Amino acid sequence: MATRSTIMDTNSFRRGATDELPESIRRLAARRERVLGPSYRLFYREPVHLVRGEGAHLYDADGQRYLDVYNNVASVGHCHPRVVAAVQRQAAALNTHTRYLHEAIVDYSEDLLSTLPDAIDQVMFLCTGSEANDLAIRVAQAYTGGTGVLVTSEAYHGNTALTSELSPALGTAQPLGRDVRTVPSPDAYRLGLGGGDVDLGLWFADQVAAQIADLERHGTRFAAFLADSIFSSDGVFPDPLGFLAPAIEVVHRAGGVFVADEVQPGFARTGQAFWGFERHGVVPDLVTMGKPMGNGIPISALAARSEVLAAFGDSIPYFNTFGGNPVSIAAAQAVLDVIRDEELQAHSARLGAQLSAGLRAASAGHPLVGDIRGAGLYVGVDIVTDPVSRRPDQATALEIVERLRERHVLTSVCGAGGNVLKLRPPLAFSPADLDVFLTAYEEVLATLPT
């Protein structure tokens, strides 16, 4: 049976396609193919062999510098010296699990919870965002007594057995769970094609209500709506502000909980708020976070309303051996401190606005650039075949990615059509980095047909 390719495959190096590569890259790629499982992917037609990172820059084995316009994992910048120093100090003192008392995890928990709404008052630590989302769904199901879960049509929420079934972005070879339903992506750019004004909030709430009704029609009790509030895998849909709120009202009226997956929009990424869900004026029942909270050191968390967490916690003991270990907690605390001390939320808002404005100026009049949308340092550029049909143009989007890579700028794509350039640099991105990126982007656009 034919399967849809996934966004994770679209700009991948093809296994065995090594004949045209430089000898050193060819040898390393061939060795990798022999010993690593076939599900792994490499970016780009000619893979990049990276050996060092600093701020928003990465360096290959030949010393060539690349501008990273993709990596939200190293949220405060590659190898930020304060994060590195915090990890080194703690690794030299103690690293163990959470069944012993340790002040650092309590201090960090109090600090983390202070950034969240007052109703979110407890936290549990894990190692990956996938684990956090997996636990969140288990908690939601224990609290509601239901099993039905809603996600958006191109969502990615993880790679555990449970979260893979909640991640349609993995492609049709990965089946969704029996009690999982999808709602369409909130793509205001294409919803307007039919003419007339569309109230995105009411439209999206109607989609959520319809899928809850479908679950109930099939005898499945609704438990949770799991969503990333910037809808990153769906194609980056952050606006209009507040459009998510009517859907969350529907979720709560139906007895379900809202799980805010903040791996992508959290930790000051949007500039307008510390957490992505805040932009919509909603308070989640559960909040998941992952990679960026430790600047790449493995740590994730589930923050929750205590009353929602109680049903699970009172009946099921949960233990994640190295979730919340002292070294990872030290990294996470350093990240929070850096975000505050370097005023990275304000920086993200300011530089993100300049990024979006620069993209619009550079793209003005180009028929292949259909829409530019984003919040802070998370921007999507929608590449289309023409501005009338707004049909996704994956081939051109991937060609732009490759031509940027040739100019030593790294990024990728997202969206159902694999046609949206996904721009999410580390928060250490500087005005000088922005100039480098916009120059490369303009050069690449100039090489494309008009």
Side-chain angles (χ1 to χ4, degrees):
M1 180 174 66
T3 59
R4 185 191 71 190
S5 65
T6 74
I7 300 307
M8 296 178 185
D9 287 334
T10 49
N11 73 329
S12 297
F13 169 71
R14 301 301 171 191
R15 289 172 64 88
T18 60
D19 292 347
E20 303 301 319
L21 297 179
E23 179 64 16
S24 62
I25 297 292
R26 185 192 66 76
R27 286 200 308 268
L28 186 56
R31 287 176 59 202
R32 175 185 163 108
E33 285 189 15
R34 282 195 297 271
V35 296
L36 295 186
S39 289
Y40 282 112
R41 302 291 187 265
L42 283 166
F43 278 166
Y44 309 114
R45 294 169 192 156
E46 180 180 326
V48 183
H49 178 192
L50 297 174
V51 298
R52 186 167 67 88
E54 182 180 1
H57 302 114
L58 294 163
Y59 296 81
D60 71 13
D62 296 322
Q64 176 63 58
R65 187 171 78 166
Y66 292 79
L67 180 62
D68 186 353
V69 192
Y70 181 70
N71 199 333
N72 77 318
V73 175
S75 59
V76 297
H78 294 281
C79 300
H80 192 290
R82 288 179 64 179
V83 180
V84 171
V87 168
Q88 289 174 330
R89 283 194 304 270
Q90 188 58 52
L94 174 71
N95 201 27
T96 187
H97 53 72
T98 54
R99 286 187 171 178
Y100 304 110
L101 285 172
H102 196 272
E103 253 184 342
I105 191 172
V106 178
D107 291 344
Y108 177 72
S109 298
E110 291 170 345
D111 200 359
L112 179 66
L113 289 170
S114 75
T115 70
L116 289 155
D118 290 343
I120 308 294
D121 57 352
Q122 290 187 321
V123 62
M124 298 177 70
F125 293 101
L126 313 93
C127 298
T128 69
S130 297
E131 288 179 312
N133 282 329
D134 187 301
L135 180 59
I137 295 305
R138 293 174 63 193
V139 167
Q141 290 173 338
Y143 175 71
T144 62
T147 56
V149 181
L150 303 188
V151 295
T152 50
S153 58
E154 286 297 320
Y156 174 72
H157 293 296
N159 55 25
T160 66
L162 193 160
T163 57
S164 292
E165 293 185 345
L166 303 170
S167 298
L170 291 173
T172 49
Q174 168 61 58
L176 297 181
R178 184 186 63 182
D179 294 343
V180 176
R181 299 291 186 275
T182 62
V183 295
S185 303
D187 186 351
Y189 174 60
R190 291 179 175 83
L191 278 173
L193 276 174
D197 292 331
V198 176
D199 186 315
L200 186 65
L202 294 180
W203 176 86
F204 194 62
D206 287 344
Q207 308 307 309
V208 169
Q211 294 308 313
I212 292 173
D214 186 68
L215 284 168
E216 293 172 348
R217 189 163 48 249
H218 287 84
T220 300
R221 186 171 180 177
F222 173 54
F225 174 45
L226 171 60
D228 151 17
S229 60
I230 205 165
F231 299 93
S232 52
S233 294
D234 289 90
V236 189
F237 300 112
D239 293 318
L241 285 171
F243 84 81
L244 192 54
I248 304 312
E249 291 179 10
V250 169
V251 167
H252 286 149
R253 283 200 303 269
V257 300
F258 170 42
V259 183
D261 181 340
E262 289 289 317
V263 172
Q264 299 288 337
F267 290 93
R269 167 65 53 180
T270 70
Q272 294 165 314
F274 195 85
W275 301 104
F277 63 78
E278 290 181 280
R279 300 178 66 253
H280 292 283
V282 299
V283 177
D285 303 286
L286 301 166
V287 181
T288 59
M289 55 201 82
K291 293 164 284 206
M293 69 187 292
N295 214 48
I297 296 296
I299 184 169
S300 65
L302 167 65
R305 297 176 185 263
S306 54
E307 67 270 20
V308 175
L309 202 54
F312 179 86
D314 291 348
S315 59
I316 302 174
Y318 182 85
F319 179 55
N320 187 304
T321 303
F322 262 67
N325 70 79
V327 170
S328 292
I329 289 290
Q333 184 66 67
V335 167
L336 265 189
D337 293 342
V338 167
I339 289 172
R340 291 189 185 108
D341 294 348
E342 297 185 9
E343 300 181 341
L344 292 183
Q345 183 176 326
H347 172 76
S348 181
R350 182 172 55 252
L351 200 63
Q354 294 172 19
L355 169 59
S356 292
L359 286 165
R360 291 189 178 97
S363 307
H366 202 295
L368 297 180
V369 181
D371 193 29
I372 295 167
R373 50 188 181 259
L377 285 172
Y378 208 129
V379 179
V381 181
D382 204 320
I383 306 300
V384 297
T385 57
D386 64 272
V388 177
S389 72
R390 303 181 184 179
R391 186 177 303 115
D393 187 345
Q394 183 185 72
T396 298
L398 293 177
E399 191 60 35
I400 292 171
V401 167
E402 291 292 345
R403 294 185 190 186
L404 285 171
R405 180 252 181 270
E406 291 169 4
R407 289 162 174 79
H408 308 118
V409 173
L410 306 179
T411 191
S412 189
V413 294
C414 60
N419 67 300
V420 179
L421 304 181
K422 181 164 60 174
L423 311 177
R424 51 169 193 186
L427 300 183
F429 207 60
S430 71
D433 296 328
L434 176 59
D435 289 342
V436 169
F437 169 72
L438 290 174
T439 297
Y441 177 78
E442 288 187 70
E443 290 176 358
V444 169
L445 282 190
T447 70
L448 300 175
T450 57

